[in-house]
Amino acid sequence: MTGAALAAVAVGVILEDVPVFAAGGGVLALLILFAVLGGKRSPAGGEPPVGRLALARIEDLRATGGESADVPVKFRLTVAPDPEDARPAYRVKITQHINLVDLPAYRPRGIAVVEYRPDKPWDVRIVTRPTPEWSRRAEEAEVDSAPDSTLVSNPDVDEGSWCLLVLLAFLAGAVLVVLLFRGPLFTAVNDEDTPPDSPSTSRTFTTSTTVSGPSSLLAFGRMRATAMELESRVDTAYVTEVTIEDHRMAVSGDSTRPPTETFHLQSLPYELLPALVRVARTTLGVRTPETWRIDITPPTGKGVGPRVRITVTGPEGTAHLDADATGRVVDRRGVGEAGEAG
């Protein structure tokens, strides 16, 4: 119920469906109310079980920390029940808070006075202030260690299985609600993922910016920062062409183009482009390069990702190389050469 209620609240918010949101919130509020009332409910009537005193041998103890005067201590005990119970000695593990002042009185192989319940032998508590008679008996008595096979524990406590059951029930309730509203829910999610430009707001755009100062667009990080500036100007990241020169970057686009004829500005490998420009200026036969230019266009044919072409011009002529969206050179043409697959 809790999983279904929380899922209904989330689905109501996503779909902006007030009835679904109100139903989930109402059920969640009722569950919280029942939990509060259940916690305040008085225990069932009847006399509480009477505990019995006995002696126990401290097999082992370990303080588990704490910043107060009472620290939690884990005990491993051998309990010697009252002879009236006709029960042999048995082992039990308990955790009890012991005052720091009293802690030195408890040591391995020592004898302590404990209180246990015959109907629940695992419910054992060390009596920190026993009567003089029981204190004397603890000082004089000897209790033999019981074998490990006699260790008892609460059979009703299985925290691992209980947590797994709660988790599975919670997920089952949430999945059930999501499946009931899977149609409108996934439609709403897909609508949110639709690119911002649609035929109803058809427009073409072209804009450019010039980088001033001594550093060019080849400086590390300059291209991506300039692309983000142009993206904010045109109010979309989907473009059809990008042109990059030494101190100038321009973008253009058309919102009527299908997605296969556009590409995302931030998907380009700007950090790899300066290295490709250096390769084009030094390996294509242009010994004295004067200008360079990067033209990025959508994929053609069976190409995957935008196509990057770097053109270098100098006294010897013009050369270029082509790369893919990952910065890998796929074709190059030096001065006076035919294209060569990379």
Side-chain angles (χ1 to χ4, degrees):
M1 291 293 290
T2 304
L6 288 175
V9 171
V11 170
V13 171
I14 295 174
L15 298 181
E16 299 181 355
D17 192 326
V18 176
V20 175
F21 177 83
V27 172
L28 195 60
L30 286 176
L31 291 173
I32 296 174
L33 179 61
F34 290 155
V36 172
L37 294 178
K40 293 182 178 180
R41 186 178 59 184
S42 300
E47 293 295 331
V50 178
R52 294 186 180 181
L53 296 179
L55 298 178
R57 175 188 173 95
I58 301 175
E59 303 292 348
D60 189 18
L61 75 160
R62 180 167 59 90
T64 58
E67 299 179 356
S68 61
D70 293 336
V71 297
V73 181
K74 290 185 176 181
F75 289 92
R76 192 155 52 92
L77 307 172
T78 291
V79 179
D82 191 298
E84 296 181 3
D85 292 341
R87 181 188 182 99
Y90 63 91
R91 286 203 179 191
V92 66
K93 293 180 180 180
I94 66 169
T95 299
Q96 184 170 331
H97 285 74
I98 303 295
N99 193 281
L100 286 172
V101 177
D102 300 329
L103 195 57
Y106 302 96
R107 62 190 185 281
R109 295 185 298 277
I111 305 299
V113 180
V114 299
E115 183 180 12
Y116 74 99
R117 289 175 52 181
D119 58 331
K120 296 181 178 180
W122 55 85
D123 189 359
V124 177
R125 181 181 64 87
I126 293 179
V127 179
T128 57
R129 295 290 183 268
T131 63
E133 179 185 355
W134 277 98
S135 296
R136 180 180 54 79
R137 293 175 62 179
E139 293 175 357
E140 299 174 353
E142 290 288 340
V143 177
D144 295 330
S145 297
D148 290 335
S149 59
T150 62
L151 181 67
V152 298
S153 59
N154 189 346
D156 297 331
V157 176
D158 189 355
E159 295 180 356
S161 300
W162 173 251
C163 291
L164 179 60
L165 178 61
V166 170
L167 177 62
L168 292 177
F170 185 92
L171 293 177
V175 170
L176 178 61
V177 173
V178 172
L179 289 178
L180 289 176
F181 294 91
R182 62 185 182 278
L185 183 63
F186 294 142
T187 300
V189 173
N190 291 333
D191 290 343
E192 293 178 0
D193 294 338
T194 303
D197 293 328
S198 62
S200 60
T201 57
S202 175
R203 65 188 181 94
T204 59
F205 54 85
T206 299
T207 187
S208 64
T209 184
T210 301
V211 178
S212 59
S215 73
S216 72
L217 284 169
L218 294 178
F220 182 78
R222 202 70 181 271
M223 287 187 188
R224 188 170 295 278
T226 305
M228 294 176 65
E229 177 187 344
L230 294 177
E231 178 183 338
S232 63
R233 288 188 189 181
V234 299
D235 197 27
T236 180
Y238 293 89
V239 298
T240 56
E241 185 178 1
V242 175
T243 302
I244 305 174
E245 297 174 318
D246 198 21
H247 287 83
R248 179 178 177 274
M249 179 182 288
V251 299
S252 60
D254 185 351
S255 61
T256 61
R257 294 282 189 92
T260 55
E261 297 181 9
T262 64
F263 55 89
H264 197 287
L265 265 177
Q266 299 305 319
S267 67
L268 301 176
Y270 295 107
E271 292 73 19
L272 302 177
L273 296 182
L276 291 176
V277 172
R278 287 194 295 270
V279 171
R281 297 175 67 181
T282 57
T283 64
L284 298 181
V286 182
R287 291 187 295 274
T288 311
E290 297 177 348
T291 62
W292 59 268
R293 174 189 175 108
I294 303 175
D295 293 292
I296 306 175
T297 55
T300 57
K302 297 182 180 181
V304 178
R307 187 181 65 138
V308 180
R309 166 161 289 189
I310 301 175
T311 304
V312 180
T313 303
E316 297 81 7
T318 300
H320 71 259
L321 66 78
D322 295 335
D324 59 17
T326 65
R328 182 176 64 90
V329 177
V330 297
D331 186 68
R332 66 182 72 206
R333 179 176 297 179
V335 177
E337 296 180 0
E340 177 185 355

